[in-house]
Amino acid sequence: MADVAQAPTDPRNGEGGDGGADDADSVELGGYRQELKRSLGSFQVFAISFAFISVAVGIFGTYDDVLRTAGPVGIWLWPVAGAGQILVALVVAQFAARIPLSGSSYQWASRLATPKVGWGFGWLSFCFLAVAVVAIDNALASQAFMPLVGMGPDEDAARVITLVVLLVQTVLAIVSTRIVSIINTAAVGVEVALVVVVSIALAVAVLVTGDGAAGNLTSRGIAAHAPDYFAVGGGLMLAMIMGLATLVGFDSAANLAEEAKDAHRTVPRAIVGSVVAAAVLGMLFLIALTVAIEDVPRISASGSPVAAIMRDQLGPVMERVLLVAITFAFFGAGVVAMAACARLVFAMARDGRFPAHRLMRRVSPRTRTPVPATVLIFVLGVVLMVALPGAALLELITASTILPALIYGATIILYLAVRGRLDRKKGAFDLGRLELPVAVSALVWTLVALFVLVSPREALVSVVVVAGLLLVGGVFFLVMLTVDREVLETEPGEMSEVFRP
């Protein structure tokens, strides 16, 4: 089991002077000692969630699918997805305010349901985050960096670049959490500036030149005569996936809760605030892009419509500026995903519930980061890049869009099951009387989102991949039940402050 030795604390500012006394108490009440360094302020915590969402990156990577399947009018499903994901974020924030421990949903389920249920949450989250790191970095290589430097499509070159990026991110994540937060903060600043400046520039260009049309906002484009446009799994429904695939990962701030100052307040606010900011900025960006389209069929056929619109309206220099900013945003998102996944592995390992847990729970005394857990994410990325053929890798990445919906749905069900017994922490994030209607609405939305993700015929292989990942996890779960059952039956720490007396 985990080492539950208490670390000495400074009554004024917590363990080692890195955070508040409340923060240190939360970790110790969880049955652990403060090993990770508390260095993240409120904006840095927000930047972690916003960088993972990375709205400009999400739109850059999926806008072409919307134009081909639903036409420009499909962008209006973005605010629908945004509203639904905000409801989910509000529920997630309720847990983050009460149990600010690394591992997020794994910790919440382990302590409020059973360790066995928590392990299932942890495995789903691990699969999602580990695949997300590879997906983000591979997209960085193929969709942003290679076009930026003038390289044509080349899968082998993209894989090599992906491995180099993974290595750089691993080194940075090991050296310092503070460095990771600086990179994320810079990436968020660049991304917000990009979205705002480009949106204004496109609007001005359209007004000055007359190129583009407001009518694009209601056009079905090249999908106008598609026979299954309004069908289940048809073109219009597929447009929802842009929002569902982008507005996820906001709970990554909770995975770094033990490194956040005043975590009871900063982490929940970051979770909700990042989704709200991404939803609003994303909608403004989509409207500006869509109005600025001169030739809908030509742009829809482009491999990178966002870059093509920028080139048409603002010239090749601005197109290159866009690619530089998108590359940096991709990099920041990949660093966050790697750090969040490493913290989850660390959290499960210190409870003895992850393979090679004695190694994976180790924290460097110098950098105070989970080095073996971070290296593991890099090794998994190398294996996926080297071993999987292109088609299999694409299916795995596509399957990763289903996993967060499963995780969020399960988290909401857990909240509805235990909310009546949860205590309220003074000053922490709290929905009050709105918690029940928000949670029920969030659950309904999550079920709708899952239906949207699995209903297309093309999603069958992705569903099978998800089932395969669950099967692999189930095998290891059975091994633990056989070899070391105790780790799945006991939980470190004291939860009396979470539950009402």
Side-chain angles (χ1 to χ4, degrees), residues 46-333:
F46 166 83
I48 286 168
S49 285
F50 191 88
F52 195 116
I53 294 173
S54 197
V55 59
V57 166
I59 291 173
F60 185 84
T62 57
Y63 189 55
D64 58 335
D65 292 328
V66 173
L67 293 179
R68 285 195 294 266
T69 60
V73 72
I75 67 169
W76 295 109
L77 288 174
W78 175 275
V80 176
Q85 295 301 85
I86 289 171
L87 291 173
V88 175
L90 287 168
V91 177
V92 171
Q94 292 283 95
F95 276 139
R98 290 176 168 94
I99 309 178
L101 296 172
S102 295
S104 58
S105 60
Y106 156 72
Q107 291 281 9
W108 308 334
S110 295
R111 294 167 184 278
L112 301 177
T114 70
K116 296 182 181 68
V117 173
W119 189 90
F121 276 71
W123 180 253
L124 280 174
S125 299
F126 169 71
C127 291
F128 166 56
L129 291 170
V131 174
V133 175
V134 176
I136 292 168
D137 289 349
N138 190 244
L140 181 160
S142 60
Q143 297 181 29
F145 181 78
M146 291 173 66
L148 175 64
V149 298
M151 295 176 63
D154 186 327
E155 183 180 332
D156 291 336
R159 288 177 184 246
V160 172
I161 294 169
T162 300
L163 292 176
V164 172
V165 172
L166 278 168
L167 179 59
V168 173
Q169 290 170 336
T170 302
V171 172
L172 293 174
I174 287 173
V175 168
S176 170
T177 301
R178 183 68 176 168
I179 290 177
V180 171
S181 91
I182 291 172
I183 291 171
N184 293 329
T185 301
V188 167
V190 168
E191 187 169 354
V192 171
L194 170 72
V195 170
V196 173
V197 171
V198 168
S199 297
I200 294 173
L202 288 175
V204 171
V206 170
L207 288 174
V208 171
T209 65
D211 297 328
N216 291 340
L217 296 173
T218 57
S219 169
R220 288 167 59 179
I222 62 174
H225 304 293
D228 59 348
Y229 187 81
F230 294 104
V232 172
L236 186 62
M237 182 181 287
L238 288 174
M240 179 80 78
I241 295 177
M242 177 169 64
L244 294 178
T246 302
L247 300 173
V248 295
F250 44 82
D251 51 325
S252 56
N255 263 329
L256 278 78
E258 291 178 33
E259 294 155 90
K261 301 173 183 177
D262 197 15
H264 286 287
R265 296 176 180 84
T266 59
V267 172
R269 290 171 184 171
I271 289 170
V272 177
S274 62
V275 185
V276 172
V280 173
L281 287 173
M283 193 68 248
L284 293 175
F285 193 37
L286 285 169
I287 290 173
L289 285 171
T290 304
V291 170
I293 297 176
E294 296 180 40
D295 184 337
V296 173
R298 177 174 63 82
I299 294 297
S300 299
S302 169
S304 181
V306 176
I309 293 168
M310 292 276 289
R311 183 171 57 252
D312 288 348
Q313 293 287 0
L314 304 175
V317 173
M318 283 302 297
E319 179 192 9
R320 294 187 70 80
V321 170
L322 168 72
L323 290 174
V324 170
I326 290 293
T327 300
F328 188 42
F330 266 121
F331 187 82

Side-chain angles (χ1 to χ4, degrees), residues 477-494:
F477 183 80
L478 292 176
V479 170
M480 282 196 298
L481 282 177
T482 304
V483 176
D484 197 0
R485 191 183 192 92
E486 183 184 355
V487 301
L488 292 172
E489 294 180 344
T490 56
E491 191 71 26
E494 174 58 55

Side-chain angles (χ1 to χ4, degrees), residues 440-493:
V440 171
S441 300
L443 179 59
V444 172
W445 161 252
T446 305
L447 293 175
V448 170
L450 272 171
F451 178 73
V452 169
L453 290 168
V454 304
S455 59
R457 290 187 298 272
E458 298 84 354
L460 178 59
V461 176
S462 298
V463 172
V464 172
V465 171
V466 171
L469 293 173
L470 295 178
L471 180 61
V472 171
V475 170
F476 180 69
F477 183 80
L478 292 176
V479 170
M480 282 196 298
L481 282 177
T482 304
V483 176
D484 197 0
R485 191 183 192 92
E486 183 184 355
V487 301
L488 292 172
E489 294 180 344
T490 56
E491 191 71 26

